[in-house]
Every structure is written in C-alpha cells, then in structure tokens.
C-alpha cells in the first residue's frame, strides 16, 4: 500500500524548486508553483539538527521535523515510504487501519485453519469473531473495545491492538513532497561553472571555483588547479 494518493502527486507536478538560503550549515528551498506565491508551497530547511518541512502545503498542516542527523544527501535518495515516515512521524491508532489489520488477521487465520484441518484451536477463528463483533459497533467501535474483544477471545494483547499506523494523509503528503523534491533537486541548477564556493569536506576545507556539477556531486577547482568531486551537501556558495 502506498500512502501517496494520485491527487497528491498531481498537485505537485508543476512545482519548481527555488533555493532561498545557502550557508555552510543551513540550506533552504521553496518548492512552489510558478506565479502562485505561497499558495500550495512547501519550505524545506536543512539544518545540522535535521530537516524541517513547513509552509502552506506540509504534513499535519503545521509541519514536520526529522530525527537528528538527516540532510539533503539522505533526503534526495530513494527512500521507502515506511522508512521516510519513521524519521518524521509517529504511529497513531486509526479506525481505518484497524479494519485493514483485522481483515489481514482473518485472512491469515483462515489460511492456517485450511492448512491444519485437524487443529481444533485453528478452527476457532477468533479474529473473524472479533471483526464481526467490533464492526457491529459501527463508528463507535474504539481501540479499547477492540482490546476488550481480544481479551474475550483469549488473544495476546502485548503487541497492542491492530490499527497503529502513520497518519495516512500526513504520510502521503510527506512522501509526495520528498519524491518531488528528489526529482527537482539538481546540483547543476544551483552551482554554475565559475561560482565561488566553500567546501566543508573531511578531505578538504576551504575555497574553490565550480568546474561543473553532476547528480549528487559538484566538481570544484582548487587553488592548485586540481579538480575534485565533492558531495553536494559539502559545497556551499561563497
């Protein structure tokens, strides 16, 4: 299952990337539709502490902050949706996710009963009974009701009740924004031949001149005339 809905991808297809800040430790970009100002725009800020996503279009409506240590190089990579969400969001219990989880349990226990026809415990089908009883509660069926039914049918509750997932809408927008940013971000759009830059790399720290840029790296000419490739997140405009 993908968190990204088709309309989310469609709403970002015309967005472009505008670099608004570039210092040694902080970089920020607006991702927006040309000519529409702030409407449907996203501001992404990359800091030594992590990544901040905010703006008119952002997860949860008031933004999201990554865990420590994540930066541009990581963010423009090919990331699974679950892995990305893990670094920005927290799982919460949701009724729709609970229904999906219960149906998966029902399917699994039915398969087990079919594969073990002589197993009397497998024939009890507790998850099927729980799904029927819980959905009979309608929209009033809560997480606590689900726990109660699991206790009633002697199921282990130590791992919690089904239904915990990342907020679906927030996860969808987060993943859509990350994927579109990764598509748009090109070092060649930011660094032009002849630009004066500062390199902050374990191999070299100091000034240089951009020779050319390629995906994920910038080729910088140093004072001795040598040209070296540096990861894009280590190169900053002077």
């Amino acid at each position: 299952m993908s968190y990204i809905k088709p309309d989310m991808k469609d709403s970002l297809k015309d967005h472009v990337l505008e670099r608004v800040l570039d210092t040694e430790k902080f970089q920020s970009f607006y991702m927006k539709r040309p000519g529409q100002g702030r409407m449907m725009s996203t501001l992404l800020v990359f800091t030594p502490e992590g990544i901040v996503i905010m703006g008119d279009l952002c997860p949860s409506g008031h933004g999201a902050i990554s865990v420590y240590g994540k930066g541009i190089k990581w963010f423009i990579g090919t990331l699974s949706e679950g892995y990305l969400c893990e670094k920005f969001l927290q799982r919460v219990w949701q009724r729709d996710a609970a229904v999906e989880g219960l149906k998966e349990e029902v399917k699994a226990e039915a398969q087990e009963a079919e594969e073990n026809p002589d197993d009397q415990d497998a024939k009890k089908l507790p998850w099927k009974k729980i799904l029927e009883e819980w959905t009979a509660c309608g929209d009033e069926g809560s997480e606590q009701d689900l726990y109660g039914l699991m206790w009633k049918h002697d199921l282990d509750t130590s791992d919690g009740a089904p239904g915990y997932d990342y907020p679906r809408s927030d996860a969808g927008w987060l993943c859509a924004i990350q994927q579109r940013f990764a598509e748009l971000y090109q070092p060649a759009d930011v660094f032009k031949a002849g630009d004066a830059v500062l390199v902050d790399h374990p191999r070299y720290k100091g000034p240089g001149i951009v020779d050319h840029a390629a995906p994920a790296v910038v080729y910088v000419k140093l004072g001795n005339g040598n040209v070296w490739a540096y990861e894009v997140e280590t190169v900053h405009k002077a």
Side-chain angles (χ1 to χ4, degrees):
M1 180 201 78
S2 174
Y3 292 112
I4 305 175
K5 295 181 179 180
D7 63 305
M8 293 176 175
K9 270 189 171 296
D10 187 64
S11 68
L12 294 171
K13 65 181 177 63
D14 296 325
H15 280 53
V16 298
L17 205 59
E18 175 188 335
R19 191 171 189 133
V20 294
L21 177 67
D22 180 24
T23 68
E24 182 178 350
K25 294 185 177 180
F26 296 86
Q27 300 85 42
S28 64
F29 302 81
Y30 259 121
M31 195 165 70
K32 59 173 65 176
R33 292 175 180 168
Q36 292 199 7
R38 183 177 178 274
M39 184 182 298
M40 292 293 286
S41 69
T42 303
L43 178 63
L44 301 101
V45 183
F46 298 89
T47 81
E49 292 291 319
I51 304 166
V52 182
I53 302 175
M54 52 187 158
D56 185 51
L57 177 61
C58 64
S60 77
H62 52 75
I65 302 174
S66 78
V67 297
Y68 173 76
K70 298 306 177 184
I72 290 178
K73 184 178 182 181
W74 174 81
F75 197 68
I76 62 175
T78 302
L79 308 175
S80 70
E81 293 184 10
Y83 176 54
L84 175 68
C85 290
E86 173 188 305
K87 305 306 178 185
F88 282 90
L89 305 174
Q90 291 187 334
R91 294 178 183 270
V92 296
W93 188 85
Q94 301 162 87
R95 182 177 173 78
D96 288 348
V99 172
E100 293 172 8
L102 286 171
K103 289 180 177 178
E104 290 176 2
E105 295 288 358
V106 169
K107 183 178 179 180
E109 73 176 2
Q111 182 176 348
E112 182 178 355
E114 183 179 348
E115 294 173 351
N116 301 277
D118 298 327
D119 187 334
Q120 297 303 309
D121 287 336
K123 292 180 179 180
K124 293 180 180 179
L125 303 178
W127 285 110
K128 181 180 179 182
K129 296 173 183 176
I130 289 172
L131 177 61
E132 293 171 350
E133 294 176 36
W134 189 68
T135 52
C137 300
D139 292 339
E140 300 301 319
S142 67
E143 181 184 4
Q144 290 305 313
D145 293 329
L146 192 49
Y147 267 112
L149 290 171
M150 291 173 68
W151 275 99
K152 174 183 174 181
H153 291 280
D154 297 321
L155 291 177
D156 182 15
T157 61
S158 60
D159 291 331
Y164 277 85
D165 196 4
Y166 300 110
R168 300 293 177 82
S169 178
D170 295 345
W173 282 116
L174 172 65
C175 294
I177 288 168
Q178 183 272 329
Q179 290 181 18
R180 184 57 177 154
F181 183 90
E183 291 173 358
L184 291 172
Y185 185 85
Q186 295 294 331
D189 294 334
V190 178
F191 297 102
K192 305 298 183 183
D195 283 349
V197 294
L198 292 173
V199 179
D200 182 17
H201 190 278
R203 192 171 67 237
Y204 171 73
K205 297 181 185 294
I209 301 295
V210 173
D211 185 79
H212 67 282
V217 298
V218 180
Y219 289 84
V220 179
K221 181 180 291 186
L222 307 183
N224 60 9
N226 291 334
V227 176
W228 292 92
Y230 297 101
E231 290 85 353
V232 66
E233 70 272 16
T234 67
V235 181
H236 312 282
K237 288 187 177 180

